[in-house]
């Protein structure tokens, strides 16, 4: 009893300071008093009580003083790690502005010794990123999560955790249409996704990658990934329900990206796949899909109606002052014209496409050189000659006729020999 009474008397000064939270210079005195306690367990308890008092009063100055004390040599590393972990977890209890200020200050003060406090830094960054995300400051939230060292040799992090962080950061950047930074992290994720057993996370990765390809105007690749997602058979993945609306949005995105893709054989194959998919007939943009697939020339009112369904990046200006949509529609109409005409002058072609003859010639030359259209250009006469597949089709028809005749000869020979022939 005598020893217990002596111990309680030793603690009275620090407890008195905790009951009435110190102000100004008294905070340093409270911290020094607690640091002087010999019993480690009692010392940590007193630090916890002081921290609780600071958080409850939302006192930024005292919080900063507490953090300075924790990273100083006065507190053993074992104790400072434990207490800074509590600080990191309790920051969310502060008001938003106080949370930001104290968290940023803590990260700056811990930085010189960041190797010793990696776990604590991670919790602080995750909390601050969540706060920025709630305020819709997407890039700031992404940058905060990007500061977490995922390749640390000190903390053992599994691939699923690393993958989740990379995908999360990429998704945050995508909210600000920042495809460049998003692609950096989705590429990191690509090395981890093959080992992941988390179906929901893998699906997030696929959708995120499709959106990045879409933003970077790699429309054909994006269309294939959107279409893959739209064919998802499982309706519940990782405890999350995937509804029909999401699948329909993915299918619409696949159709949109295919229409915007560079005209050519690859695009035609994807168009055929989409056109034959019965689900597409229910989409709002089905009429334009039908016309594009059937290689019909699109008029301005139809293009304007389609433009209303597009996202801002899909209507972005290109270096030649035309838009992504303009380029896609001009190329489509030029390819459609190649099916209708044997040859046409650049003047008439420009009128048909709604552009100047020089620009029509350049686009036609590029498409021919890239093997996206068959033809030749006579610059002296100012005429483009289109090559069609009529001769190839004729040869194909002749081959079919030859096979049918040969088969008929075989059947007649069998009948003459008295063999039964199934009809």
């Amino acid at each position: 009893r005598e020893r217990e009474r002596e111990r309680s008397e030793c603690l009275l000064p620090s407890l008195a300071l905790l009951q009435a939270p110190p102000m100004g210079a008294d905070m340093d005195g409270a911290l020094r008093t607690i640091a002087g306690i010999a019993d480690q367990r009692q010392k940590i308890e007193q630090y916890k009580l002081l921290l609780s008092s600071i958080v409850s009063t939302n006192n930024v100055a005292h919080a900063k003083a507490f953090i300075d004390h924790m990273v100083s040599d006065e507190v053993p590393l074992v104790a400072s790690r434990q207490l800074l972990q509590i600080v990191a977890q309790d920051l969310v209890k502060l008001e938003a502005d106080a949370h930001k200020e104290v968290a940023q200050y803590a990260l700056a003060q811990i930085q010189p010794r960041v190797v010793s406090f990696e776990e604590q830094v991670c919790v602080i960054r995750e909390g601050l990123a969540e706060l920025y995300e709630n305020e819709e400051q997407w890039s700031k939230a992404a940058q905060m999560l990007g500061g977490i060292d995922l390749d640390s040799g000190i903390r053992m992090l599994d691939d699923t955790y690393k993958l989740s962080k990379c995908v999360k950061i990429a998704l945050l950047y995508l909210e600000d249409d920042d495809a460049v930074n998003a692609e950096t992290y989705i590429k990191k994720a690509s090395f981890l996704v093959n080992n992941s057993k988390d179906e929901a996370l893998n699906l997030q990765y696929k959708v995120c990658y499709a959106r990045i390809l879409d933003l970077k105007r790699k429309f054909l690749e994006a269309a294939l990934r959107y279409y893959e997602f739209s064919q998802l058979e499982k309706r519940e993945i990782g405890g999350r329900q995937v509804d029909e609306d999401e699948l329909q949005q993915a299918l619409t995105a696949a159709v949109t990206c295919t229409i915007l893709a560079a005209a050519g054989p690859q695009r035609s194959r994807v168009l055929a796949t989409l056109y034959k998919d019965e689900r597409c007939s229910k989409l709002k943009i089905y009429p334009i899909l039908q016309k594009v697939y059937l290689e019909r020339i699109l008029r301005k009112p139809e293009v304007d109606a389609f433009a209303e369904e597009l996202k801002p990046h899909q209507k972005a200006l290109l270096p030649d002052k035309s838009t992504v949509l303009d380029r896609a529609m001009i190329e489509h109409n030029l390819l459609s014209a190649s099916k209708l005409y044997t040859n046409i002058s650049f003047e008439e072609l420009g009128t048909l496409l709604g552009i100047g003859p020089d620009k029509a010639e350049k686009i036609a030359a590029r498409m021919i050189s890239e093997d996206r259209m068959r033809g030749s250009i006579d610059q002296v006469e100012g005429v483009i000659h289109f090559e069609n597949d009529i001769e190839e089709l004729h040869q194909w028809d002749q081959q079919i006729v030859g096979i049918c005749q040969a088969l008929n000869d075989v059947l007649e020979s069998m009948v003459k020999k008295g063999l039964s022939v199934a009809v």
Side-chain angles (χ1 to χ4, degrees):
R1 287 180 182 176
E2 188 68 25
R3 280 198 301 272
E4 287 176 3
R5 185 167 59 82
E6 289 174 358
R7 180 181 294 174
S8 64
E9 286 175 356
C10 289
L11 293 175
L12 280 176
S14 60
L15 287 172
L17 285 167
L18 293 174
Q19 288 165 359
M23 301 297 291
D26 289 339
M27 170 56 79
D28 295 331
L31 290 168
R32 281 196 299 272
T33 300
I34 296 172
I37 298 173
D39 188 292
Q40 288 299 316
R41 185 179 296 176
Q42 289 294 333
K43 182 188 291 188
I44 290 173
E45 287 303 316
Q46 298 310 305
Y47 277 130
K48 287 180 181 178
L49 283 172
L50 180 57
L51 179 59
S52 177
S53 171
I54 293 168
V55 171
S56 63
T57 56
N58 203 57
N59 194 313
V60 173
H62 289 178
K64 289 181 177 180
F66 189 89
I67 290 165
D68 286 337
H69 183 70
M70 287 298 109
V71 297
S72 69
D73 295 332
E74 294 181 59
V75 184
L77 185 59
V78 175
S80 61
R81 275 181 176 164
Q82 182 182 344
L83 292 163
L84 280 174
Q85 185 72 12
I86 298 169
V87 170
Q89 292 166 351
D90 285 356
L91 283 175
V92 295
K93 298 176 184 178
L94 296 173
E95 293 175 5
D97 290 339
H99 181 177
K100 290 179 197 174
E101 187 176 348
V102 175
Q104 294 281 11
Y105 184 81
L107 291 173
Q109 296 305 104
I110 292 172
Q111 185 58 37
R113 300 178 62 188
V114 69
V115 176
S116 303
F117 300 105
E118 284 192 355
E119 181 65 34
Q120 292 74 18
V121 166
C122 180
V123 176
I124 292 171
R125 285 186 173 277
E126 286 176 344
L128 197 50
E130 186 176 351
L131 180 59
Y132 284 136
E133 187 177 353
N134 292 337
E135 295 177 350
E136 297 186 0
Q137 298 188 60
W138 312 114
S139 292
K140 279 191 174 182
Q143 289 163 7
M144 193 51 59
L145 288 178
I148 297 173
D149 187 0
L150 298 176
D151 300 316
S152 169
I154 297 172
R155 288 195 307 153
M156 297 302 292
L157 303 173
D158 60 24
D159 286 348
T160 302
Y161 175 83
K162 293 178 183 178
L163 177 61
S164 68
K165 284 290 171 278
C166 288
V167 171
K168 179 67 175 178
I169 294 167
L171 286 170
L172 287 168
Y173 275 124
L174 284 176
E175 290 296 324
D176 272 344
D177 289 340
D178 186 348
V180 176
N181 281 315
E183 188 177 27
T184 300
Y185 284 93
I186 213 66
K187 281 182 177 177
K188 290 181 181 179
S190 64
F191 295 106
L192 305 166
V193 73
N194 292 332
N195 299 324
S196 172
K197 301 292 189 290
D198 189 326
E199 290 183 330
L201 190 56
N202 294 347
L203 183 62
Q204 267 191 325
Y205 165 81
K206 289 178 181 178
V207 174
C208 185
Y209 195 41
R211 288 178 62 191
I212 289 170
L213 291 171
D214 189 351
L215 277 169
K216 290 180 72 66
R217 301 173 195 160
K218 296 179 179 179
F219 292 120
L220 204 57
E221 294 175 59
L224 292 171
R225 291 181 181 273
Y226 281 133
Y227 187 61
E228 181 187 354
F229 174 56
S230 76
Q231 293 178 302
L232 197 67
E233 293 181 1
K234 290 180 72 175
R235 289 295 183 270
E236 188 173 342
I237 297 179
R240 180 182 176 277
Q241 201 73 20
V242 179
D243 57 34
E244 287 296 329
D245 286 344
E246 289 178 295
L247 298 181
Q248 193 174 55
Q249 285 174 9
L251 186 60
T252 301
V255 172
T256 301
C257 287
T258 306
I259 292 171
L260 292 173
Q266 288 183 313
R267 174 176 177 260
S268 298
R269 283 193 287 272
V270 180
L271 280 170
T273 302
L274 291 168
Y275 183 71
K276 292 171 186 176
D277 191 321
E278 293 179 358
R279 299 173 301 158
C280 289
S281 61
K282 300 173 185 176
L283 299 178
K284 187 178 177 181
I285 59 174
Y286 178 72
I288 195 165
L289 168 63
Q290 186 177 40
K291 287 199 169 187
V292 171
Y293 170 69
L294 296 174
E295 297 181 330
R296 294 175 183 167
I297 291 175
L298 297 170
R299 303 300 177 187
K300 192 175 187 305
E302 295 165 331
V303 175
D304 290 343
F306 178 57
E308 292 177 5
E309 307 297 322
L310 300 181
K311 296 173 183 175
H313 74 273
Q314 293 169 336
K315 296 184 284 187
L317 280 174
L318 298 171
D320 63 357
K321 304 300 180 184
S322 64
T323 66
V324 173
L325 176 61
D326 291 338
R327 182 184 65 183
M329 293 300 96
I330 289 169
E331 288 187 355
H332 165 77
N333 284 341
L334 179 51
L335 197 60
S336 299
S338 72
K339 309 296 180 182
L340 296 173
Y341 295 90
T342 318
N343 56 62
I344 188 172
S345 70
F346 291 125
E347 287 286 346
E348 292 176 348
L349 182 61
T351 303
L352 181 67
L353 301 177
I355 56 178
D358 290 343
K359 188 172 183 181
E361 181 184 355
K362 285 180 182 177
I363 294 171
R366 186 177 70 244
M367 290 180 69
I368 291 170
S369 67
E370 292 174 356
D371 290 330
R372 292 192 283 130
M373 184 174 70
R374 297 178 62 185
S376 60
I377 292 173
D378 185 339
Q379 288 184 316
V380 177
E381 297 293 332
V383 174
I384 177 170
H385 297 273
F386 298 113
E387 296 176 15
N388 53 43
D389 300 326
I390 292 175
E391 189 159 337
E392 288 181 10
L393 289 172
H394 182 69
Q395 289 177 356
W396 177 253
D397 288 343
Q398 289 300 317
Q399 288 173 350
I400 292 174
V401 169
I403 290 171
C404 290
Q405 286 177 343
L407 180 60
N408 193 55
D409 292 342
V410 171
L411 292 174
E412 286 180 356
S413 175
M414 290 173 68
V415 170
K416 287 177 181 179
K417 291 180 180 180
L419 298 173
S420 61
V421 178
V423 179

